[in-house]
Amino acid sequence: SFQHNSFEQLCINYANERLQQLFNHHLFKLEQEEYEAEDIDWSHVQFEDNQACLDLIESRPAGILSILDETCTVPKGTDTMLAEKLILALESNPR
């Protein structure tokens, strides 16, 4: 509910997910590509790609932040309007 999971927490979670993806991209993906290019013997590291989570939050026009922005610009936008728009836009999202 909005009382327990605030907008500030969403922003913190989003920042954490974005930082995690940056870390994964540089530490795992790019390093492993470099090891392959230099023919270095190493063990492949499996890692979770969180791009789907980031897309859920930041994609346009149907991401959480985009829908939130749209609802905030509508005169007399409400939490209920936001919740209804999010449900419609994201109900088919597997995340």
Side-chain angles (χ1 to χ4, degrees):
S1 79
F2 291 109
Q3 291 86 12
H4 300 292
N5 201 356
S6 66
F7 177 70
E8 291 83 7
Q9 188 63 52
L10 172 66
C11 292
I12 291 167
N13 292 349
Y14 171 59
N16 287 337
E17 290 295 331
R18 176 54 66 199
L19 288 170
Q20 183 66 46
Q21 188 193 47
L22 182 66
F23 175 83
N24 287 348
H25 180 73
H26 284 282
L27 186 67
F28 296 123
K29 187 175 181 191
L30 295 179
E31 285 296 316
Q32 291 185 126
E33 287 175 359
E34 189 171 328
Y35 288 177
E36 287 176 358
E38 294 180 12
D39 201 27
I40 296 173
D41 187 28
W42 58 281
S43 296
H44 183 79
V45 177
Q46 290 291 109
F47 63 95
E48 182 74 25
D49 183 2
N50 64 345
Q51 186 61 52
C53 179
L54 291 170
D55 290 344
L56 179 66
I57 297 169
E58 68 187 11
S59 67
R60 292 193 177 268
I64 293 169
L65 293 177
S66 180
I67 294 169
L68 175 62
D69 183 52
E70 177 186 312
T71 305
C72 288
T73 59
V74 172
K76 298 183 183 180
T78 65
D79 291 350
T80 302
M81 287 174 62
L82 174 62
E84 289 170 354
K85 286 181 180 185
L86 288 170
I87 290 168
L88 284 173
L90 303 174
E91 66 186 344
S92 64
N93 188 302
R95 289 263 179 181

